[in-house]
Amino acid sequence: MTPEINARRGYYTELATQRLAPLWESLADLVPDAPRSRCRPELWRYAQLRPFIERAGRLISAAEAERRVLVLENPGYPGGHRVTNTLYAGFQLLLPGEAAAPHRHSQSAMRFVIEGEGAYTAVDGVRHYMHRGDLILTPAWCWHDHANPSDAPMIWLDALDIPIVADLAAGFRENDDEMPRPVEHDAPLRSTAVECAYPYQQARAALESMASRGEIDSCHGVIRPYVNPVNGGSVLPTMSASLQYFRTGIRTQTYRSTASTTFVVVEGAGSTQVGGQRFEWAENDVFVVPSWFPSWHEVERDAVLFSYSDRALQEKLGLWREQRGG
Ligand code: GTQ
């Protein structure tokens, strides 16, 4: 070691005692040339995960759990309860006759329905009955509870902005033991009133009519963002969501964006190449494409993918970027 390096080492150790650090040792990490994230590409196969959901149903009641959810853990954040660097995903199970008590919080949520039919989420006292592929919103600070009056287990994917709200240290929650919750309109934190349910049948039909008109994107196939009907913007302030359709045999062009994205396979089968890995997916599988990782899809059997990301938030901050091809 040269005397200079040695002197610096000692200096750094002393700096730390003053709660100071030399920027020049970490400038490239702090201000990188291009996005760097701990978020890793990952795939969760539903067939593999489904028995664990079933076991949760035998080990704990919905009442005891409050929310009986298996959280998807991105391997870049062990124990972090993050599916990506910014967002959360979990499979929630409600057995026949069960209910999950009302609460509200500053985190925004979406439910994407995976299995079952006839359970509901009540948002500010309005019941939204679930069918496979439906998207149901719970905007920030809206009261919500879930119940399953049907005779089959109900499973849906919870998508929340929990990590964003945690990083901002801006989270609040209130519980209410009364059920159901009456409609009320005075919550100061609530986001603009939005349509809360997007039935799958309608979304699917819209994709089909786009396909028949030949509206096919080389990177995304036939794609339709879910929008807030009041202002045409994203469904929630922090999260964007889309549904896309690909014909058998399609191989999309390479694409990347700064929005780390979580995909749910609604129909069909295929594979996605991301960061040197190839994920082969089928119905109800979930996979992650992190920020700025190039990816493309190859479709084996007519496929529909639901996806959600932090694009809405990034656009508000002027940060969102994409690159097509390459
Ligand atoms: O259903 O309200 O997966 O509050 C995580 C937090 C679900 C819910 C989650 C929640 C909920």
Side-chain angles (χ1 to χ4, degrees), residues 67 69 88 90 92 103 105 111 144 146 156 158 160 162:
R67 296 294 189 264
V69 179
Y88 162 105
Q92 182 158 174
H103 69 191
H105 37 69
R111 331 271 164 206
H144 54 285
H146 320 297
W156 65 85
D158 286 319
L160 287 92
I162 287 174

Side-chain angles (χ1 to χ4, degrees), residues 109-131:
M110 298 187 277
R111 331 271 164 206
F112 190 76
V113 181
I114 302 290
E115 236 187 78
E117 178 150 336
Y120 64 81
T121 290
V123 182
D124 277 344
V126 179
R127 288 180 183 183
H128 300 279
Y129 283 87
M130 298 177 168
H131 317 86

Side-chain angles (χ1 to χ4, degrees), residues 18 80-81 120 146 158 179-180 253 263 270 285 308:
Q18 303 305 305
H81 299 74
Y120 64 81
H146 320 297
D158 286 319
M179 200 191 295
Q253 275 199 315
F263 291 86
D285 290 353
Y308 70 99

Side-chain angles (χ1 to χ4, degrees), residues 2 48 90 97 101 115 120 130 163 183 196 267:
T2 66
Q48 210 171 316
E115 236 187 78
Y120 64 81
M130 298 177 168
V183 181
C196 280
E267 294 180 36

Side-chain angles (χ1 to χ4, degrees), residues 39 77 82-88 160-165 167 260 309-310 313-314:
C39 181
Y77 298 89
R82 293 175 190 237
V83 71
T84 66
N85 46 310
T86 51
L87 297 179
Y88 162 105
L160 287 92
D161 56 8
I162 287 174
I164 294 171
V165 176
D167 287 348
S260 298
S309 78
D310 54 11
L313 177 61
Q314 291 199 18

Side-chain angles (χ1 to χ4, degrees), residues 194-214:
V194 291
E195 201 62 53
C196 280
Y198 297 82
Y200 186 59
Q201 285 205 340
Q202 280 173 33
R204 184 74 170 79
L207 286 183
E208 259 163 48
S209 71
M210 284 175 72
S212 69
R213 290 195 300 271

Side-chain angles (χ1 to χ4, degrees), residues 261-280:
T261 304
T262 303
F263 291 86
V264 181
V265 182
V266 194
E267 294 180 36
S271 65
T272 298
Q273 182 83 29
V274 46
Q277 289 184 75
R278 194 176 128 113
F279 295 140
E280 291 197 21

